Amino acid sequence: MSDDKLNADAANIDSELARKAAVFGLDWSDDGQVRKLARLALANNGETIKLDCSLASPEGQAKMEIFGLAQMALKLADDAKAAATELNTGPALGAMLKALQAERQNRN
């Protein structure tokens, strides 16, 4: 995958993360909030997930979509690493990747 494609995908994921998080007022500069969201995004099938909202609510739907975007972000980061490309991340994607990596390390 080309550098331009990777960075275009990063920009799209960043934009979607920011848009979805605006639904429930996530502050991307609040490491605690972002880590909590990352922890939920990395939950295994056997783990209980407490969303603090209904899945039928706009907030619950936005969080579920962010969980999918988090998985896409991890794949993108892996692809960039394999291509020896530095991603140009925006604030949302950068914060989410940092939190996801920290949560991955915490699980190991």
Side-chain angles (χ1 to χ4, degrees):
M1 191 177 292
S2 75
D3 292 1
D4 289 340
K5 172 72 170 128
L6 288 168
N7 282 305
D9 288 349
N12 288 334
I13 292 172
D14 182 72
S15 175
E16 283 300 304
L17 284 169
R19 195 168 68 81
K20 299 297 178 192
V23 172
F24 55 92
L26 179 74
D27 177 0
W28 290 106
S29 66
D30 184 329
D31 291 338
Q33 284 184 12
V34 180
R35 285 283 299 263
K36 180 179 177 184
L37 194 60
R39 192 174 311 113
L40 292 173
L42 293 174
N44 294 319
N45 289 338
E47 294 180 75
T48 301
I49 297 175
K50 288 189 173 187
L51 286 180
D52 301 329
C53 57
S54 166
L55 286 177
S57 71
E59 294 85 1
Q61 291 174 7
K63 284 183 181 181
M64 293 306 292
E65 290 176 19
I66 284 176
F67 298 160
L69 290 166
Q71 298 306 317
M72 292 172 63
L74 287 170
K75 170 87 170 85
L76 183 67
D78 290 344
D79 289 349
K81 185 176 179 180
T85 297
E86 187 171 333
L87 284 178
N88 296 323
T89 63
L93 179 56
M96 180 56 85
L97 283 173
K98 178 182 171 186
L100 288 167
Q101 290 166 349
E103 285 300 318
R104 271 183 164 176
Q105 286 181 336
N106 195 39
R107 287 175 173 259
N108 293 334

